[in-house]
Amino acid sequence: MKFVNQSIRKKDAMQLVTGKPVYTGDMVPKNALVVKLLHSPHANAIIEKIDTSIAKRVPGIEAIYTYEDVPQKRFTMAGQTYPEPSPYDRLILDRHVRYHGDIVAIVAGEDEKAVDKALKLIKVEYNVLPAILDFRTAKDNEILVHPEDNWIAHCPVGADNKRNLCAQADDGHGDIEAVMADCDVVLERTYHTKANSQAMMETFRTYTYLDTYGRLNILSATQIVFHVRRIVAHALDIPKSKIRVTKPRIGGGFGAKQTSVTEVFPAFVTWKTGKPAYLVYSRKETQTSGCPRHEMEITVKLGAMKDGTIRALDVYTLSNTGAYGEHGPTTVGLSGHKPIPMYNKNQEAHRFHYDVVYTNVQAAGAYRGYGATQGIYAVETAVNELAAQLNIDPVKIREMNIVEEGQIMHAYYGETCNSCALDRCLSATAERMGWDEKFPSRDMGNGKVRSVGVAMGMQGSSISNCDIGGATIKLNDDGYYALHIGAADMGTGCDTVLAQMAADVLECDIDDIFVYGADTDASPYDSGSYASSTPYLTGNAVADACRKLRESILKIGAHKLGCRVEEVAFD
């Protein structure tokens, strides 16, 4: 291959380093309305009265919206393939605010000064309610985060808003209790991982406007243009055909922009006023009204023999989805389905059960690793503690128990492990880090010691049998190629990577490939850039499209030359 695996200058490199207008904020015209949000100061409250009369009289204020002005149709902000597993538990604005930072009102005005003044003049009377702040007390609590009757769960994920449950499940294989009882050693530990926020340089932001045909155009820093179109259509209760979503350059995402955090609000303003609108979250808003990693408490129970053979693995995850259920039912699955199968070799039984609970804290979302990070940390730490208890080398105990190629992984949806080099990976890692010389520790002779540790992880590329990658390649009349993709380059360089793949298949120079990305009107459908999917999922779509184009060119060439396709070559 001439371009793949080579050092190539990014397609957008010169635009970025020379400060060209490439980000969302660069595209906003001066006449766009400034949109800002009023946030709740309470963790759980009912709005008894909201007075916007004085605020509306501020010069330059275009509109102020409250819960009385929005559609009463619930939706989810989670960017996931339809049908969405996350419950429909949001309104654009709700009379019931559920966390400190929840949205109370939308203010739109001609300039930032006027909007800031109006925000301070909105008078709100709250009926402050008791709040659930400790997720260990949320399940079946008498305080309900979502008591409303129009809450909807479209997928059977075990959700029950009357029990504060966003999701719940209990599955396994084999007789876990019997196998545990027959083990020499049973180790049980509980681990707690806190929520933490993505710190992408570009905060959440969205610009919206109506085009010549009255369609709502959304320009946003998002990883999920097609999901945003569906989410906004649900929220505004309008057809998807009336919405177009495009993505410029993105200043980082890390999963945060797999949730539609800001798109709905300026879209609503534009739809109501007919005027362009722009909302940009401050750094504080991004941290307090964004979508951090799910806080989890994970209990791991290992059953093993004295020689280190792990026969049974029981994992229980308690996940805190916060005030809304974005990504709650799906992140929790990876906390068990990713770590448990790694110890498949001698595994006679496993159990994975979980509760995802609502609480009155900021709603969680997607963040690198998507729940697998929390679960792998817990299981790997437990295995290391088991190794220490049995006085067995942590590398050796893993080599004894890790999954082998050809095995059925009952804990991973019954899939067969068709490709696995984990044994060679572990061996090579131990050798390269000098494990045998460094473990368990070395005395540095100055009152300090140095030690080494080991842990494994399992990760997939995209969600199999669910997510879709799409690409269209077109040969222009000037001999150059136009590559249209629906995946979002969020600084990862996927526009360049996919162009490299196309150039190798089409045997042309990479500068002969022009990439057009993430436009719901022009791009083929793509689930979006998440789950480490783009080079694997969308990349294979690009390669497939390019091969089909080659075949078409060969057929046309053979016809022109009056010979069989087998007699011509692509050059």
Side-chain angles (χ1 to χ4, degrees), residues 189-453:
R189 297 287 188 273
T190 298
Y191 307 93
H192 179 216
T193 64
K194 295 183 178 182
N196 34 66
S197 291
Q198 311 87 343
M200 61 281 186
M201 286 192 288
E202 182 194 32
T203 59
F204 299 105
R205 57 198 61 203
T206 301
Y207 162 55
T208 57
Y209 64 96
L210 295 180
D211 64 20
T212 307
Y213 306 100
R215 296 176 73 220
L216 178 61
N217 280 247
I218 301 173
L219 185 71
S220 190
T222 179
Q223 302 172 218
I224 45 161
V225 290
F226 285 96
H227 295 326
V228 165
R229 182 177 65 176
R230 182 182 68 247
I231 291 165
V232 174
H234 282 318
L236 272 59
D237 199 16
I238 62 176
K240 285 193 294 184
S241 59
K242 292 185 178 294
I243 300 173
R244 178 187 183 186
V245 183
T246 54
K247 171 213 72 73
R249 297 291 91 186
I250 301 178
F254 313 114
K257 292 167 184 174
Q258 196 191 336
T259 299
S260 180
V261 174
T262 55
E263 286 84 359
V264 169
F265 306 109
F268 182 73
V269 170
T270 293
W271 193 249
K272 295 287 283 187
T273 66
K275 297 183 178 181
Y278 179 50
L279 168 63
V280 53
Y281 262 17
S282 66
R283 178 60 62 185
K284 179 180 178 181
E285 286 176 303
T286 295
Q287 300 288 83
T288 59
S289 299
C291 50
R293 193 192 300 277
H294 287 76
E295 176 187 25
M296 292 186 184
E297 186 172 85
I298 302 168
T299 299
V300 181
K301 192 175 181 181
L302 284 165
M305 305 307 287
K306 291 180 181 178
D307 66 354
T309 302
I310 299 174
R311 298 173 57 195
L313 189 49
D314 187 347
V315 174
Y316 169 69
T317 301
L318 178 64
S319 178
N320 186 2
T321 195
Y324 300 99
E326 277 91 21
H327 302 279
T330 40
T331 50
V332 71
L334 273 63
S335 72
H337 293 143
K338 286 295 175 72
I340 298 174
M342 291 194 296
Y343 295 92
N344 197 82
K345 185 175 183 179
N346 307 303
Q347 197 178 101
E348 298 170 41
H350 86 272
R351 183 187 184 204
F352 175 43
H353 47 132
Y354 57 78
D355 293 307
V356 183
V357 293
Y358 283 112
T359 61
N360 294 115
V361 300
Q362 179 183 190
Y367 191 161
R368 294 291 297 155
Y370 203 76
T373 0
Q374 296 95 307
I376 288 171
Y377 154 70
V379 171
E380 288 300 283
T381 304
V383 170
N384 282 334
E385 293 195 45
L386 176 67
Q389 184 172 323
L390 297 175
N391 197 28
I392 298 176
D393 187 303
V395 170
K396 303 301 180 189
I397 200 170
R398 285 173 170 81
E399 289 175 339
M400 292 170 57
N401 292 287
I402 55 177
V403 63
E404 294 180 334
E405 197 167 299
Q407 285 191 319
I408 295 174
M409 299 182 292
H410 296 288
Y412 196 70
Y413 315 103
E415 294 276 358
T416 300
C417 186
N418 292 319
S419 176
C420 182
L422 186 55
D423 54 346
R424 284 170 282 157
C425 178
L426 183 61
S427 176
T429 301
E431 181 182 351
R432 291 181 186 183
M433 70 191 297
W435 177 267
D436 292 337
E437 296 79 42
K438 297 176 181 177
F439 181 78
S441 63
R442 291 177 294 158
D443 188 337
M444 304 307 294
N446 57 358
K448 297 180 181 179
V449 295
R450 284 185 182 170
S451 185
V452 288

